[in-house]
Amino acid sequence: MPLPFLTADRAFDTADDAALPYDDRDRWRRPYRPGPWRVGAAAILLLLASFVLFAGVVIAATATLSSAGAVFGIALVVVGCALRMLRTGVWVSARGLRHVAFLTTRTTPWEQVASVRTVQQPVRWLGLPRTVQGQALLLVRRGRAAEALPPLLTSHNADFLGRDPLAFDRAADSVEAWADEYRRS
């Protein structure tokens, strides 16, 4: 029984740029994968949440339900923080560009985007106050200064630190391509 989808002898047509039928350009999508630092921190938070949930079950069995409810509430907050941490980053769609931070989300329609460009500058290392020389992807909005907004991506944030240096370049090029395509239309 041949399984052509599992073999390497199948010819792939990479020159075809037609959108796939399920490729919905109106859906928000991240043009890169979450990095190892972000995924690792979220995994540690989820591990902590599992211990807190186990403690909540033990407290519910041995103590009052109100104290168990408080512990379950803490576990839900930790799980929510882990999920929000995984959600942070840059998201694009046909409607605009969305920069999701841990506590805030900023959406910019393509009509307001003047340019998206990569620059060499001092960037924050993992979002901490320490700065190192790196690359940043900056969003310039129409009628506003470039320094008014924080960088969308940096080469030393939780998504790209510890990865191949080309991963940042591919992600930045992808966001720039989306911006070029939708600013013209």
Side-chain angles (χ1 to χ4, degrees), residues 28 90-100 105-116 138-144 149-150 152 175 178-179 182-183:
W28 290 101
V90 176
W91 297 75
V92 291
S93 80
R95 291 177 269 162
L97 188 136
R98 180 173 286 173
H99 184 226
V100 178
T105 299
R106 192 175 57 246
T107 302
T108 305
W110 291 120
E111 298 84 35
Q112 293 181 4
V113 174
S115 69
V116 177
L138 298 179
L139 168 68
V140 180
R141 295 177 63 174
R142 296 189 197 281
R144 296 196 185 177
L149 296 173
L152 297 173
V175 173
W178 275 78
Y182 283 104
R183 276 184 304 159

Side-chain angles (χ1 to χ4, degrees), residues 16 54 56 73 76 86 95 103 136-137 139-140 147 150 162 171 174 179 181:
D16 187 17
F54 181 70
L76 286 177
L86 287 173
R95 291 177 269 162
L103 296 176
L137 183 69
L139 168 68
V140 180
E147 293 80 26
S174 177
E181 180 180 346

